[in-house]
Amino acid sequence: MGMPPLASGPHGTDALRRLLDTVLDALRAGTAARGGPLPAGGPGAVAARVADAAGDILPERGDPEALRALVTALAEGAADPAHPLCAAHLHTPPLAVAAAADLAASVLNPSLDSWDQAPAASALEALVVRALARETDAADAVVTTGGTESNQLAVLLARETHGAGLRLVHAAGAHHSLPRAAWLLGLPEPVVVPAPAGTLDPAALDEALTHIPGPHLVAATAGTTDAGLIDPLPEIADRCAAHGARLHVDAAYGAGLLFSERHRARLVGLEAADTVALDLHKLGWQPIPAGLLTVADADDLAALHHRADYLNPDDDTDAGLPDLLGRSPRTSRRPDVLKTAVTLKTLGRAGLGALVDAVCSLAREFAGLVEAHPGFELHAPPTISTVLFRPAGASDDAVAAVRRALLTTGRAVLGRARADGRLWLKATLLNPHTGPDDLAALLTLVEGHVPR
């Protein structure tokens, strides 16, 4: 066996062309074998099929069929977000053009920890982050792996600005990464503000900021994980301004509304935030990862400054080579910005806005079907593209059992959320190709699995 071909270089494209045919054939075969949104049989059956396909994962001699076998197994055992009945999580089917761009990023493999590893990628990243920062009226932005890293980084920047006594204040039901960030960074126990309607209560926030010693970092949410709700951002921003509190908005889900002329107004107040988390592998249809954190004050990013002589020596920086270490707490970083840049340029604001409008309309349509069906109960009209519903009169145990039965058979993928003290099925509609018949089929499937 000779030396295996490289992905880049003069012969890389020829080698890749043959391999890509294998990958595409395997994806097609695995998807056909699955036959639905999820593999049937549950965790044990899936693990057994994967183990059978993998065999000896580190054999003495290599297997030239490994690529075909393992990609087929992965596709057959995947939860396919492009299937219209796969609607559990904030996990979008990536756009084909974004996935194609991501292949180029993998082939060229620049690492954004020094300019000499990523000359063009670092220049492109600067262009894209500035453009997206402007969407929230921010001064700058940095690329992250998603909402969790963005939230952790927002808490870190706030701590570096205001000190280790910083108190994080967030609503009950805020994303778990926020209190976890306080724990990771050694901050005091966060203050949890009531959210009786699922969103942060401004009056309760005012009470907390009045009586609990600061400095404070208030974390609001634009698009909750459970129901896609948006906190009252203008009122929260007013309370923060009155008390001198710093404001972070976790808009990992909802930030995509900025692309839509129809829905953009729901994010009024976002411009008042000190930091905002955006996540374009949600309402941006990007392959994971695709996150950003915007900052209103570019000087806040000085806290990330770090010196490693082999990457950003002072004399290189003084000579004009960009210092990339201060753009992330990570060292090696993929050029994840390429797929985003290609998507923004290819679709434009109107194209992305149309996708956002489509999934929001799907959610309203599905909510209408639920509301009109006597066998189901709708929690509330959707705010973005998440619909909470449950079989009428069912116990929480029955609701959980319906979901698990659908998962085990591989017929549909629904999430779960607790609201108003009860368990609900959660449909997160993020596939703009989903049609009315798919929505009706999803409801029929659920109805057919309700215990009698």
Side-chain angles (χ1 to χ4, degrees):
M1 183 177 179
M3 296 296 287
L6 301 176
S8 60
H11 307 295
T13 52
D14 292 334
L16 272 175
R17 200 177 306 279
R18 296 189 296 272
L19 294 170
L20 283 176
D21 284 341
T22 299
V23 167
L24 295 175
D25 288 345
L27 287 172
R28 187 179 297 111
T31 300
R34 178 175 11 93
L38 197 74
V46 173
R49 289 195 290 268
V50 170
D52 183 61
D56 182 358
I57 205 68
L58 185 60
E60 185 63 31
R61 295 187 179 277
D63 179 0
E65 287 298 306
L67 178 64
R68 185 183 304 276
L70 292 178
V71 172
T72 301
L74 188 69
E76 182 179 355
D80 184 2
H83 194 288
L85 302 186
C86 189
H89 300 287
L90 290 167
H91 179 192
T92 51
L95 293 164
V97 72
D102 213 29
L103 170 64
S106 294
V107 168
L108 296 169
N109 208 29
S111 180
L112 281 124
D113 49 322
S114 65
W115 183 87
D116 59 342
Q117 298 178 80
S122 58
L124 184 63
E125 181 174 276
L127 293 173
V128 172
V129 298
R130 288 187 201 122
L132 291 173
R134 286 196 295 270
E135 294 298 309
T136 65
D137 287 344
D140 202 352
V142 291
V143 173
T144 70
T145 54
T148 293
E149 186 186 347
S150 293
N151 286 339
Q152 291 176 348
L153 187 53
V155 177
L156 170 65
L157 297 181
R159 186 196 69 178
E160 294 305 290
T161 300
H162 297 286
L166 180 76
R167 296 300 299 271
L168 174 64
V169 182
H170 64 79
H175 195 264
H176 62 85
S177 61
L178 285 160
R180 195 176 193 202
W183 168 70
L184 285 168
L185 294 167
L187 295 178
E189 187 73 18
V191 178
V192 180
V193 175
T199 56
L200 194 154
D201 179 7
L205 174 64
D206 193 77
E207 181 79 7
L209 295 178
T210 299
H211 295 289
I212 296 173
H216 304 106
L217 169 63
V218 175
T221 305
T224 59
T225 304
D226 278 347
L229 303 178
I230 298 174
D231 287 339
L233 300 178
E235 293 89 340
I236 291 169
D238 288 345
R239 299 303 201 284
C240 289
H243 290 277
R246 186 180 175 100
L247 174 60
H248 169 65
V249 178
D250 175 4
Y253 180 10
L257 299 177
L258 292 168
F259 299 120
S260 166
E261 289 298 321
R262 186 182 306 172
H263 298 292
R264 184 182 178 95
R266 297 186 188 187
L267 296 182
V268 168
L270 198 67
E271 70 283 349
D274 294 281
T275 51
V276 178
L278 289 73
D279 198 343
L280 295 178
H281 56 245
K282 295 183 172 65
L283 282 185
W285 292 274
Q286 298 297 289
I288 296 169
L292 287 97
L293 179 74
T294 70
V295 292
D297 185 352
D299 289 342
D300 283 352
L301 295 179
L304 298 180
H305 176 73
H306 182 67
R307 185 67 65 193
D309 194 59
Y310 73 105
L311 294 173
N312 61 346
D314 287 333
D315 57 325
D316 275 359
T317 303
D318 292 342
L321 295 183
D323 177 0
L324 303 184
L325 279 188
R327 304 296 300 177
S328 174
R330 292 175 285 146
T331 303
S332 298
R333 288 197 295 123
R334 292 184 81 247
D336 289 313
V337 73
L338 175 61
K339 61 199 174 195
T340 300
V342 168
T343 300
L344 297 176
K345 184 75 172 174
T346 302
L347 273 68
R349 183 184 300 279
L352 280 166
L355 295 178
V356 172
D357 292 347
V359 296
C360 290
S361 294
L362 281 171
R364 290 195 300 272
E365 186 172 352
F366 186 64
L369 290 176
V370 171
E371 200 165 28
H373 195 300
F376 287 97
E377 180 182 353
L378 177 70
H379 177 259
T383 300
I384 306 178
S385 66
T386 299
V387 179
L388 300 187
F389 68 108
R390 54 181 283 138
S395 67
D396 283 358
D397 287 345
V399 172
V402 167
R403 175 178 174 271
R404 286 193 293 271
L406 292 170
L407 295 180
T408 302
T409 60
R411 302 287 300 283
V413 190
L414 288 169
R416 54 185 283 166
R418 190 163 291 279
D420 300 334
R422 293 189 291 168
L423 187 65
W424 300 79
L425 296 172
K426 177 174 69 171
T428 310
L429 298 163
L430 294 171
N431 183 350
H433 292 275
T434 299
D437 291 346
D438 299 315
L439 299 176
L442 180 57
L443 204 56
T444 299
L445 265 177
V446 175
E447 183 181 22
H449 284 79
V450 177
R452 304 298 177 188

